[in-house]
Amino acid sequence: MALRIVATCALGLEEFLEQELRDLAMKGVAVGRGAVRFEGRWRDIWRANWWLRTANRVLVELGRWQGHDGDALATGARRLIGHRGGHWDGLKVEELFDPGRTLALHATSTASAVRDTRWVGLRVKDGLVDGQRGRFRRRSSIDRRRPDVPLRVWLHRDRATLLLDTSGEPLDRRGYRQSSGTAPLRETLAAACVLASAWDGRGPVVDPMCGTGTLLVEAALWASGRAPGETRRGFAFERLPNLDRRALTAIKGERSQGACSELEIVGVDHDPEAVSAARENLTRAGLDAVSRLQVGDGFALDPPARPGLVLINPPYGERLDAGPEQWRRLGDLLKGRYSGWQAVVLAGGDSRGKHIGLKPRRRVAVRNGPLDARILPFDLYPGSRTETKR
């Protein structure tokens, strides 16, 4: 029996997540706001956690019921536990909600009569543990730090959906980035920049304003066919009683088709501490042997002779000012030194890169932390078109 599964993501990344799921041959893929739904079995859930680069979490729907008030929320949860013979693709209610397993529950509420998320979470939790007492004569303990069963309840238009979080820590926490700057770029957004580039994975990867190296790592992992899950410490699904470790081992042995075996990674930053952090992060990701990092001015960098991918997340308001002349300077850098390359600029600031002087293939609206930004992919062929429309 197919499970209803939801992969969540940051706003603006839905199209990339949808394509990733289709590339993994998932069924019933449907895009929503900040999430992409699909159908599958437990093996699909393990693969999604292991391989998705732009997802935040992978959630499994456990049940739905009307939740117009606190009593209705608790009653629906209690009935879920009391359903004898119920299961989710073989994972039985009595296995998942065994009282010896700890619980935690996170709640959201939109367009509903009950708007206090703490009350939503409390009443659903009350219903779950009451159901356990009625069925097992005892209840689970609550462990908010590392629960065996991390749960989420979404209350929307007075209808509650209970979901099992199979990821645990958000998937953007790959594990390789122990050192980060004051405003680190999230790994999922960096991965979206790589996916937006239309790069084929051949040639070097260059970031002339590399910061702590997140763009470089995400590009290298993608080009080498390595899963983002490789650098994580683990997933919540590994604590579930139905885990098939042989199947998971097989998933971990997969590689992307067409993976590049020859990598060259070049990064420059004017901040010695950022370069040191980037070097540490690349080492943790197993990429130190193919990396060349240096302190310096990215505008003065001589890139490798053969074309590849150049990625830039300009530090708005710092060494790249928000003024039009500095954006034009960046555009001149790309036209002058990276002719024949693919390029992506993650453009923020007031203009969001409108004055860069090159016509991007498209503009993808995203959020970079608290800031509105645009992913701007460019084909830097000789004679690249300039952008005259402002």
Side-chain angles (χ1 to χ4, degrees):
M1 179 179 178
L3 298 164
R4 293 174 177 169
I5 310 163
V6 184
T8 64
C9 65
L11 293 178
L13 304 191
E14 296 93 343
E15 62 173 283
F16 303 106
L17 179 53
E18 177 193 13
Q19 188 58 54
E20 286 195 273
L21 287 166
R22 294 191 187 281
D23 289 344
L24 290 173
M26 299 302 180
K27 307 298 183 183
V29 177
V31 182
R33 179 176 168 81
V36 182
R37 296 178 179 273
F38 63 104
E39 298 174 353
R41 312 296 292 268
W42 286 103
R43 185 185 178 101
D44 298 315
I45 292 165
W46 305 334
R47 289 189 74 229
N49 274 287
W50 185 250
W51 277 106
L52 291 177
R53 301 179 191 277
T54 57
N56 288 337
R57 297 180 186 277
V58 179
L59 310 171
V60 179
E61 185 177 313
L62 301 179
R64 298 182 185 181
W65 63 89
Q66 288 299 320
H68 56 275
D69 61 21
D71 289 342
L73 287 167
T75 298
R78 185 167 57 250
R79 287 175 177 170
L80 183 72
I81 299 295
H83 180 39
R84 297 187 181 277
H87 68 91
W88 300 277
D89 190 27
L91 177 59
K92 298 177 181 178
V93 173
E94 57 266 32
E95 293 175 322
L96 181 61
F97 289 102
D98 183 301
R101 301 175 61 76
T102 58
L103 305 176
L105 196 144
H106 178 273
T108 61
S109 176
T110 56
S112 298
V114 184
R115 290 182 285 182
D116 186 338
T117 57
R118 292 174 298 179
W119 182 245
V120 172
L122 178 63
R123 295 304 286 141
V124 172
K125 185 268 295 180
D126 288 345
L128 292 174
V129 298
D130 284 350
Q132 287 181 312
R133 288 192 186 100
R135 184 165 183 173
F136 307 113
R137 306 298 181 188
R138 58 194 182 100
R139 54 156 287 183
S140 291
S141 298
I142 302 300
D143 181 352
R144 293 183 176 85
R145 189 183 64 84
R146 194 173 183 269
D148 297 315
V149 186
L151 299 168
R152 292 184 170 250
V153 58
W154 294 346
L155 183 63
H156 180 63
R157 295 182 178 175
D158 296 328
R159 187 164 181 81
T161 302
L162 185 67
L163 303 114
L164 173 66
D165 180 1
T166 67
S167 303
E169 275 200 300
L171 295 176
D172 66 294
R173 298 179 188 173
R174 312 276 204 244
Y176 64 76
R177 193 170 70 183
Q178 302 298 317
S179 300
S180 59
T182 56
L185 177 64
R186 298 188 80 169
E187 290 88 333
T188 47
L189 182 52
C193 290
V194 177
L195 297 177
S197 70
W199 180 47
D200 63 2
R202 303 293 187 250
V205 182
V206 174
D207 186 345
M209 303 176 188
C210 70
T212 58
T214 306
L215 282 165
L216 292 172
V217 174
E218 292 299 321
L221 291 178
W222 180 84
S224 58
R226 290 175 54 193
E230 285 188 24
T231 53
R232 277 178 62 101
R233 288 180 294 181
F235 303 88
F237 70 75
E238 294 181 88
R239 299 193 293 277
L240 295 178
N242 67 332
L243 178 64
D244 183 339
R245 296 200 175 275
R246 291 183 64 181
L248 180 58
T249 299
I251 290 169
K252 290 181 176 182
E254 295 174 356
R255 283 288 185 275
S256 294
Q257 293 184 353
C260 177
S261 59
E262 297 182 5
L263 284 172
E264 182 181 4
I265 302 168
V266 179
V268 177
D269 200 280
H270 82 298
D271 183 355
E273 292 186 5
V275 172
S276 177
R279 187 170 289 114
E280 291 179 15
N281 294 338
L282 285 158
T283 297
R284 288 189 179 89
L287 298 166
D288 52 314
V290 293
S291 304
R292 176 163 57 90
L293 303 178
Q294 63 188 64
V295 178
D297 181 3
F299 285 94
L301 173 67
D302 287 323
R306 60 177 181 143
L309 175 65
V310 55
L311 298 158
I312 305 177
N313 175 28
Y316 325 123
E318 295 175 12
R319 62 206 150 155
L320 184 67
D321 200 55
E325 68 284 353
Q326 292 293 350
W327 282 108
R328 284 194 288 269
R329 185 184 178 212
L330 178 58
D332 291 342
L333 171 69
L334 294 176
K335 287 184 289 186
R337 299 202 177 202
Y338 295 92
S339 178
W341 290 58
Q342 301 295 128
V344 174
V345 176
L346 181 58
D350 292 337
S351 71
R352 300 179 186 88
K354 291 181 180 178
H355 305 293
I356 200 168
L358 286 168
K359 186 173 181 60
R361 194 180 333 111
R362 54 189 301 221
R363 296 178 183 271
V364 183
V366 294
R367 296 280 290 179
N368 185 9
L371 304 174
D372 287 325
R374 299 291 184 270
I375 297 176
L376 306 178
F378 300 94
D379 299 318
L380 299 176
Y381 303 128
S384 294
R385 290 178 295 170
T386 58
E387 186 172 41
T388 56
K389 184 178 180 181
R390 296 288 180 255

